[in-house]
mmCIF file of all heavy atoms in Angstrom:
data_model
loop_
_atom_site.group_PDB
_atom_site.id
_atom_site.type_symbol
_atom_site.label_atom_id
_atom_site.label_comp_id
_atom_site.label_asym_id
_atom_site.label_seq_id
_atom_site.Cartn_x
_atom_site.Cartn_y
_atom_site.Cartn_z
ATOM 1 N N LYS A 88 3.485 -21.788 34.491
ATOM 2 C CA LYS A 88 2.746 -22.281 35.646
ATOM 3 C C LYS A 88 1.286 -22.544 35.290
ATOM 4 O O LYS A 88 0.737 -23.614 35.583
ATOM 5 C CB LYS A 88 2.842 -21.260 36.783
ATOM 6 C CG LYS A 88 1.970 -21.567 37.990
ATOM 7 C CD LYS A 88 2.051 -20.424 38.988
ATOM 8 C CE LYS A 88 1.018 -20.557 40.085
ATOM 9 N NZ LYS A 88 1.054 -19.425 41.029
ATOM 10 N N LEU A 89 0.636 -21.579 34.633
ATOM 11 C CA LEU A 89 -0.790 -21.704 34.307
ATOM 12 C C LEU A 89 -1.033 -22.762 33.234
ATOM 13 O O LEU A 89 -2.020 -23.498 33.312
ATOM 14 C CB LEU A 89 -1.340 -20.352 33.860
ATOM 15 C CG LEU A 89 -1.419 -19.284 34.948
ATOM 16 C CD1 LEU A 89 -1.815 -17.940 34.363
ATOM 17 C CD2 LEU A 89 -2.409 -19.693 36.030
ATOM 18 N N ILE A 90 -0.140 -22.857 32.262
ATOM 19 C CA ILE A 90 -0.281 -23.883 31.225
ATOM 20 C C ILE A 90 -0.155 -25.277 31.841
ATOM 21 O O ILE A 90 -0.894 -26.209 31.485
ATOM 22 C CB ILE A 90 0.775 -23.688 30.114
ATOM 23 C CG1 ILE A 90 0.431 -22.464 29.270
ATOM 24 C CG2 ILE A 90 0.863 -24.916 29.228
ATOM 25 C CD1 ILE A 90 -0.856 -22.584 28.484
ATOM 26 N N THR A 91 0.774 -25.426 32.770
ATOM 27 C CA THR A 91 0.960 -26.723 33.439
ATOM 28 C C THR A 91 -0.262 -27.083 34.266
ATOM 29 O O THR A 91 -0.729 -28.235 34.243
ATOM 30 C CB THR A 91 2.208 -26.690 34.344
ATOM 31 O OG1 THR A 91 3.344 -26.307 33.579
ATOM 32 C CG2 THR A 91 2.459 -28.056 34.965
ATOM 33 N N ILE A 92 -0.809 -26.112 34.982
ATOM 34 C CA ILE A 92 -2.018 -26.354 35.779
ATOM 35 C C ILE A 92 -3.186 -26.701 34.864
ATOM 36 O O ILE A 92 -3.955 -27.639 35.138
ATOM 37 C CB ILE A 92 -2.350 -25.108 36.637
ATOM 38 C CG1 ILE A 92 -1.300 -24.933 37.730
ATOM 39 C CG2 ILE A 92 -3.736 -25.237 37.264
ATOM 40 C CD1 ILE A 92 -1.446 -23.643 38.517
ATOM 41 N N LEU A 93 -3.330 -25.963 33.765
ATOM 42 C CA LEU A 93 -4.411 -26.224 32.818
ATOM 43 C C LEU A 93 -4.314 -27.644 32.267
ATOM 44 O O LEU A 93 -5.326 -28.370 32.211
ATOM 45 C CB LEU A 93 -4.366 -25.205 31.678
ATOM 46 C CG LEU A 93 -5.521 -25.236 30.661
ATOM 47 C CD1 LEU A 93 -5.763 -23.835 30.096
ATOM 48 C CD2 LEU A 93 -5.227 -26.190 29.500
ATOM 49 N N PHE A 94 -3.113 -28.047 31.868
ATOM 50 C CA PHE A 94 -2.953 -29.378 31.279
ATOM 51 C C PHE A 94 -3.206 -30.477 32.308
ATOM 52 O O PHE A 94 -3.780 -31.523 31.984
ATOM 53 C CB PHE A 94 -1.554 -29.526 30.688
ATOM 54 C CG PHE A 94 -1.361 -30.817 29.935
ATOM 55 C CD1 PHE A 94 -1.949 -30.998 28.698
ATOM 56 C CD2 PHE A 94 -0.603 -31.853 30.478
ATOM 57 C CE1 PHE A 94 -1.780 -32.197 28.006
ATOM 58 C CE2 PHE A 94 -0.436 -33.045 29.798
ATOM 59 C CZ PHE A 94 -1.026 -33.216 28.552
ATOM 60 N N SER A 95 -2.780 -30.260 33.549
ATOM 61 C CA SER A 95 -2.991 -31.271 34.589
ATOM 62 C C SER A 95 -4.481 -31.458 34.877
ATOM 63 O O SER A 95 -4.949 -32.591 35.047
ATOM 64 C CB SER A 95 -2.246 -30.879 35.867
ATOM 65 O OG SER A 95 -2.769 -29.686 36.417
ATOM 66 N N VAL A 96 -5.230 -30.352 34.924
ATOM 67 C CA VAL A 96 -6.682 -30.452 35.130
ATOM 68 C C VAL A 96 -7.333 -31.117 33.922
ATOM 69 O O VAL A 96 -8.268 -31.914 34.063
ATOM 70 C CB VAL A 96 -7.303 -29.065 35.378
ATOM 71 C CG1 VAL A 96 -8.827 -29.171 35.537
ATOM 72 C CG2 VAL A 96 -6.704 -28.421 36.623
ATOM 73 N N PHE A 97 -6.812 -30.817 32.734
ATOM 74 C CA PHE A 97 -7.339 -31.455 31.530
ATOM 75 C C PHE A 97 -7.154 -32.974 31.592
ATOM 76 O O PHE A 97 -8.064 -33.730 31.238
ATOM 77 C CB PHE A 97 -6.639 -30.903 30.287
ATOM 78 C CG PHE A 97 -7.003 -31.614 29.020
ATOM 79 C CD1 PHE A 97 -8.203 -31.357 28.385
ATOM 80 C CD2 PHE A 97 -6.135 -32.556 28.472
ATOM 81 C CE1 PHE A 97 -8.551 -32.029 27.217
ATOM 82 C CE2 PHE A 97 -6.470 -33.232 27.304
ATOM 83 C CZ PHE A 97 -7.674 -32.964 26.675
ATOM 84 N N VAL A 98 -5.986 -33.405 32.030
ATOM 85 C CA VAL A 98 -5.727 -34.843 32.163
ATOM 86 C C VAL A 98 -6.726 -35.474 33.130
ATOM 87 O O VAL A 98 -7.307 -36.534 32.856
ATOM 88 C CB VAL A 98 -4.285 -35.101 32.643
ATOM 89 C CG1 VAL A 98 -4.090 -36.575 33.009
ATOM 90 C CG2 VAL A 98 -3.287 -34.686 31.574
ATOM 91 N N ALA A 99 -6.953 -34.802 34.264
ATOM 92 C CA ALA A 99 -7.901 -35.322 35.255
ATOM 93 C C ALA A 99 -9.328 -35.348 34.706
ATOM 94 O O ALA A 99 -10.092 -36.279 34.994
ATOM 95 C CB ALA A 99 -7.846 -34.460 36.524
ATOM 96 N N ALA A 100 -9.683 -34.345 33.907
ATOM 97 C CA ALA A 100 -11.052 -34.262 33.378
ATOM 98 C C ALA A 100 -11.279 -35.222 32.220
ATOM 99 O O ALA A 100 -12.416 -35.685 32.012
ATOM 100 C CB ALA A 100 -11.346 -32.824 32.928
ATOM 101 N N ILE A 101 -10.227 -35.528 31.461
ATOM 102 C CA ILE A 101 -10.393 -36.373 30.276
ATOM 103 C C ILE A 101 -10.396 -37.857 30.635
ATOM 104 O O ILE A 101 -10.862 -38.691 29.828
ATOM 105 C CB ILE A 101 -9.285 -36.078 29.233
ATOM 106 C CG1 ILE A 101 -9.746 -36.431 27.810
ATOM 107 C CG2 ILE A 101 -7.999 -36.826 29.574
ATOM 108 C CD1 ILE A 101 -10.831 -35.556 27.279
ATOM 109 N N ILE A 102 -9.908 -38.226 31.806
ATOM 110 C CA ILE A 102 -9.859 -39.645 32.195
ATOM 111 C C ILE A 102 -11.251 -40.289 32.188
ATOM 112 O O ILE A 102 -11.439 -41.350 31.570
ATOM 113 C CB ILE A 102 -9.157 -39.820 33.555
ATOM 114 C CG1 ILE A 102 -7.650 -39.589 33.395
ATOM 115 C CG2 ILE A 102 -9.414 -41.217 34.138
ATOM 116 C CD1 ILE A 102 -6.868 -39.624 34.691
ATOM 117 N N PRO A 103 -12.266 -39.697 32.856
ATOM 118 C CA PRO A 103 -13.597 -40.312 32.779
ATOM 119 C C PRO A 103 -14.174 -40.316 31.369
ATOM 120 O O PRO A 103 -14.949 -41.219 31.015
ATOM 121 C CB PRO A 103 -14.446 -39.451 33.721
ATOM 122 C CG PRO A 103 -13.706 -38.169 33.858
ATOM 123 C CD PRO A 103 -12.269 -38.527 33.753
ATOM 124 N N VAL A 104 -13.793 -39.342 30.539
ATOM 125 C CA VAL A 104 -14.249 -39.323 29.149
ATOM 126 C C VAL A 104 -13.686 -40.525 28.397
ATOM 127 O O VAL A 104 -14.392 -41.170 27.603
ATOM 128 C CB VAL A 104 -13.834 -38.006 28.451
ATOM 129 C CG1 VAL A 104 -14.257 -38.028 26.990
ATOM 130 C CG2 VAL A 104 -14.449 -36.808 29.157
ATOM 131 N N LEU A 105 -12.417 -40.839 28.650
ATOM 132 C CA LEU A 105 -11.799 -42.005 28.015
ATOM 133 C C LEU A 105 -12.473 -43.295 28.471
ATOM 134 O O LEU A 105 -12.632 -44.232 27.682
ATOM 135 C CB LEU A 105 -10.306 -42.039 28.333
ATOM 136 C CG LEU A 105 -9.477 -40.871 27.774
ATOM 137 C CD1 LEU A 105 -8.022 -40.987 28.214
ATOM 138 C CD2 LEU A 105 -9.564 -40.813 26.261
ATOM 139 N N VAL A 106 -12.858 -43.337 29.742
ATOM 140 C CA VAL A 106 -13.593 -44.497 30.252
ATOM 141 C C VAL A 106 -14.939 -44.618 29.543
ATOM 142 O O VAL A 106 -15.376 -45.720 29.180
ATOM 143 C CB VAL A 106 -13.804 -44.387 31.780
ATOM 144 C CG1 VAL A 106 -14.726 -45.508 32.282
ATOM 145 C CG2 VAL A 106 -12.470 -44.425 32.507
ATOM 146 N N LEU A 107 -15.586 -43.488 29.308
ATOM 147 C CA LEU A 107 -16.913 -43.468 28.687
ATOM 148 C C LEU A 107 -16.884 -43.878 27.221
ATOM 149 O O LEU A 107 -17.937 -44.213 26.653
ATOM 150 C CB LEU A 107 -17.526 -42.074 28.812
ATOM 151 C CG LEU A 107 -18.072 -41.720 30.199
ATOM 152 C CD1 LEU A 107 -18.310 -40.212 30.311
ATOM 153 C CD2 LEU A 107 -19.353 -42.483 30.477
ATOM 154 N N ILE A 108 -15.707 -43.873 26.598
ATOM 155 C CA ILE A 108 -15.608 -44.313 25.204
ATOM 156 C C ILE A 108 -16.084 -45.754 25.055
ATOM 157 O O ILE A 108 -16.562 -46.167 23.991
ATOM 158 C CB ILE A 108 -14.154 -44.166 24.698
ATOM 159 C CG1 ILE A 108 -13.803 -42.683 24.529
ATOM 160 C CG2 ILE A 108 -13.947 -44.890 23.374
ATOM 161 C CD1 ILE A 108 -12.371 -42.431 24.100
ATOM 162 N N SER A 109 -15.986 -46.510 26.140
ATOM 163 C CA SER A 109 -16.429 -47.907 26.098
ATOM 164 C C SER A 109 -17.921 -48.027 25.780
ATOM 165 O O SER A 109 -18.358 -49.061 25.262
ATOM 166 C CB SER A 109 -16.135 -48.588 27.439
ATOM 167 O OG SER A 109 -16.839 -47.946 28.499
ATOM 168 N N ILE A 110 -18.698 -46.991 26.071
ATOM 169 C CA ILE A 110 -20.147 -47.046 25.801
ATOM 170 C C ILE A 110 -20.437 -47.099 24.306
ATOM 171 O O ILE A 110 -21.087 -48.042 23.834
ATOM 172 C CB ILE A 110 -20.877 -45.873 26.477
ATOM 173 C CG1 ILE A 110 -20.862 -46.042 27.985
ATOM 174 C CG2 ILE A 110 -22.324 -45.771 25.970
ATOM 175 C CD1 ILE A 110 -21.561 -44.931 28.748
ATOM 176 N N PRO A 111 -19.992 -46.105 23.496
ATOM 177 C CA PRO A 111 -20.275 -46.216 22.058
ATOM 178 C C PRO A 111 -19.600 -47.424 21.402
ATOM 179 O O PRO A 111 -20.150 -47.993 20.453
ATOM 180 C CB PRO A 111 -19.729 -44.899 21.481
ATOM 181 C CG PRO A 111 -18.819 -44.350 22.512
ATOM 182 C CD PRO A 111 -19.348 -44.801 23.821
ATOM 183 N N VAL A 112 -18.427 -47.838 21.921
ATOM 184 C CA VAL A 112 -17.760 -49.012 21.370
ATOM 185 C C VAL A 112 -18.608 -50.264 21.603
ATOM 186 O O VAL A 112 -18.799 -51.094 20.696
ATOM 187 C CB VAL A 112 -16.358 -49.198 21.998
ATOM 188 C CG1 VAL A 112 -15.762 -50.546 21.583
ATOM 189 C CG2 VAL A 112 -15.430 -48.069 21.569
ATOM 190 N N THR A 113 -19.147 -50.398 22.822
ATOM 191 C CA THR A 113 -19.987 -51.550 23.154
ATOM 192 C C THR A 113 -21.309 -51.498 22.409
ATOM 193 O O THR A 113 -21.785 -52.519 21.891
ATOM 194 C CB THR A 113 -20.250 -51.596 24.673
ATOM 195 O OG1 THR A 113 -19.010 -51.598 25.373
ATOM 196 C CG2 THR A 113 -21.049 -52.833 25.042
ATOM 197 N N VAL A 114 -21.917 -50.317 22.360
ATOM 198 C CA VAL A 114 -23.206 -50.161 21.684
ATOM 199 C C VAL A 114 -23.085 -50.508 20.203
ATOM 200 O O VAL A 114 -24.016 -51.057 19.601
ATOM 201 C CB VAL A 114 -23.722 -48.713 21.865
ATOM 202 C CG1 VAL A 114 -24.892 -48.434 20.928
ATOM 203 C CG2 VAL A 114 -24.150 -48.486 23.310
ATOM 204 N N ASN A 115 -21.940 -50.208 19.621
ATOM 205 C CA ASN A 115 -21.726 -50.485 18.197
ATOM 206 C C ASN A 115 -21.783 -51.978 17.890
ATOM 207 O O ASN A 115 -22.065 -52.377 16.760
ATOM 208 C CB ASN A 115 -20.379 -49.915 17.749
ATOM 209 C CG ASN A 115 -20.245 -49.863 16.247
ATOM 210 O OD1 ASN A 115 -21.100 -49.302 15.561
ATOM 211 N ND2 ASN A 115 -19.181 -50.451 15.721
ATOM 212 N N VAL A 116 -21.529 -52.797 18.912
ATOM 213 C CA VAL A 116 -21.601 -54.247 18.735
ATOM 214 C C VAL A 116 -23.050 -54.681 18.535
ATOM 215 O O VAL A 116 -23.357 -55.596 17.763
ATOM 216 C CB VAL A 116 -20.991 -54.975 19.952
ATOM 217 C CG1 VAL A 116 -21.154 -56.488 19.815
ATOM 218 C CG2 VAL A 116 -19.521 -54.613 20.110
ATOM 219 N N PHE A 117 -23.985 -53.993 19.226
ATOM 220 C CA PHE A 117 -25.391 -54.374 19.177
ATOM 221 C C PHE A 117 -26.218 -53.514 18.210
ATOM 222 O O PHE A 117 -27.351 -53.847 17.892
ATOM 223 C CB PHE A 117 -26.010 -54.252 20.579
ATOM 224 C CG PHE A 117 -25.320 -55.109 21.601
ATOM 225 C CD1 PHE A 117 -24.353 -54.576 22.446
ATOM 226 C CD2 PHE A 117 -25.621 -56.460 21.702
ATOM 227 C CE1 PHE A 117 -23.713 -55.370 23.391
ATOM 228 C CE2 PHE A 117 -24.980 -57.254 22.638
ATOM 229 C CZ PHE A 117 -24.022 -56.713 23.490
ATOM 230 N N GLY A 118 -25.645 -52.441 17.764
ATOM 231 C CA GLY A 118 -26.381 -51.549 16.870
ATOM 232 C C GLY A 118 -25.419 -50.799 15.979
ATOM 233 O O GLY A 118 -24.376 -51.329 15.582
#
Side-chain angles (χ1 to χ4, degrees):
K88 173 185 170 182
L89 292 173
I90 288 295
T91 304
I92 291 173
L93 186 150
F94 186 73
S95 64
V96 178
F97 173 78
V98 170
I101 205 68
I102 287 175
V104 177
L105 296 177
V106 173
L107 284 165
I108 289 177
S109 61
I110 291 180
V112 171
T113 305
V114 168
N115 194 53
V116 176
F117 301 98

